[in-house]
Amino acid sequence: MPTTKALLLGRRRGRAVGLVVGFAGAVALALVAAFLAESTGVPTASALTDRLLPLLVFYAPGPLAAAGAYARCGGPACLAVGVVPAAVLGGFVLLGTVVGVPGINGGNPAIGDVTVSFAAVGVTSAFVGYCAGVTAVLAADLLGVGSGSRDGERGDE
């Protein structure tokens, strides 16, 4: 039962918060770099962000959620990883609109659709990754090579 509780609710809150906040920081940094590269017209930076931003937004939530499940961060933290790209994009657009940054149009109704699409893709990817991580934990525990302690699981580390 301790393994199930650790997988569902999480046992390592510090790692869970670090996973979500660290990923949010990486996405925000990549989004700001992409905006600055597009604003300045630097072709090499623009080419880099054209490859890095989709990698972080679409492909990273699944493996991060799997790693979070394996580290027993819990389901809520693993699924929150999927919402991070949409939340960062929404915050970036909201902040740019409020401050009045040229090139950021928060009044565009399509930006809401893009944000919802990012959230749907991210949460789906994170759910699949979380399921894969849980499967890996249970298989590893069954084989006796799991990341949990054999003589009792410890609390927050």
Side-chain angles (χ1 to χ4, degrees):
M1 189 57 108
T3 299
T4 305
K5 187 176 179 182
L7 289 172
L8 290 176
L9 301 176
R11 185 179 65 196
R12 298 177 175 143
R13 298 201 196 302
R15 284 188 187 173
V17 170
L19 178 74
V20 174
V21 171
F23 184 53
V27 171
L29 185 64
L31 192 61
V32 168
F35 177 74
L36 291 176
E38 288 294 323
S39 297
T40 58
V42 178
T44 55
S46 179
L48 177 66
T49 57
D50 285 347
R51 287 171 181 79
L52 181 65
L53 198 57
L55 177 74
L56 284 173
V57 170
F58 296 116
Y59 300 118
L64 283 175
Y70 193 78
R72 292 178 171 85
C73 292
C78 293
L79 294 178
V81 167
V83 181
V84 163
V88 169
L89 176 68
F92 184 73
V93 170
L94 182 67
L95 182 67
T97 303
V98 168
V99 174
V101 177
I104 298 179
N105 184 9
N108 188 353
I111 199 71
D113 295 339
V114 169
T115 305
V116 169
S117 297
F118 277 8
V121 168
V123 168
T124 302
S125 175
F127 179 73
V128 170
Y130 174 70
C131 290
V134 166
T135 303
V137 165
L138 294 176
D141 283 351
L142 185 65
L143 295 173
V145 293
S147 61
S149 175
R150 287 301 240 178
D151 50 21
E153 300 198 23
R154 297 186 334 202
D156 276 345
E157 297 176 347

